[in-house]
Amino acid sequence: MDMPPILSGIRRQMETLSDRQRVISQNIANSETPGFKARTVEDADFSDLVGSSAGISIARPQVQLTAGMKGLGAIQPAGAGIVLDKDISETKPDGNNVTLEDQLLKLGQTQADFTAMTNLYRKQLNMLKTAVGKGG
């Protein structure tokens, strides 16, 4: 049985937020690595859930991981692309642009978004249970 589109969308957003949290932790771990550039995970694409009858396809730009990036432990998450973070506040003289304060703010926002998705998922499941007569 297929998952309802709303639950599929919530699941996909939770996976994207999980990937984003992992990338933020990699940014924090490399905050002192010379030349390291902060990265983020692009937002999930939900156009397939809208149901376009025109068959329009939107291409997403993605950063291909180099051997050096992979050597630093970077991995390509499934379903979302890692892109260079454009929301940075400063660049250090060694070329590193990771600011711990910025990363911690993004980590907090990611956690809040994940909590909201968890609550929405729980409420949707309770509504489905009520609709089939197994909840209350």
Side-chain angles (χ1 to χ4, degrees):
M1 184 172 162
D2 287 338
M3 187 180 297
I6 184 75
L7 295 179
S8 177
I10 293 170
R11 178 191 52 79
R12 190 177 312 167
Q13 180 65 10
M14 290 172 80
E15 288 171 354
T16 299
L17 291 169
S18 177
D19 291 340
R20 184 170 292 148
Q21 183 176 9
R22 185 177 60 250
V23 170
I24 290 170
S25 68
Q26 289 173 354
N27 288 344
I28 291 171
N30 288 292
S31 65
E32 298 297 322
T33 303
F36 185 84
K37 302 294 182 201
R39 293 166 178 77
T40 190
V41 174
E42 63 185 359
D43 292 328
D45 179 19
F46 297 105
S47 61
D48 61 322
L49 296 178
V50 176
S52 172
S53 61
I56 298 172
S57 174
I58 300 172
R60 298 186 314 179
Q62 288 191 337
V63 173
Q64 296 299 322
L65 298 181
T66 64
M69 294 164 72
K70 290 178 184 175
L72 291 172
I75 58 173
Q76 186 77 29
I82 298 175
V83 295
L84 292 177
D85 192 353
K86 303 221 184 308
D87 184 24
I88 57 169
S89 59
E90 66 182 65
T91 300
K92 299 173 198 155
D94 65 3
N96 187 310
N97 68 0
V98 177
T99 307
L100 291 178
E101 293 83 6
D102 291 344
Q103 297 302 311
L104 291 175
L105 286 171
K106 291 175 184 181
L107 192 62
Q109 183 62 50
T110 302
Q111 182 180 7
D113 291 346
F114 196 88
T115 299
M117 288 295 109
T118 303
N119 289 336
L120 187 57
Y121 190 82
R122 187 178 303 122
K123 289 179 182 185
Q124 290 296 319
L125 284 179
N126 285 337
M127 279 190 352
L128 285 172
K129 287 179 183 178
T130 301
V132 296
K134 295 187 179 186

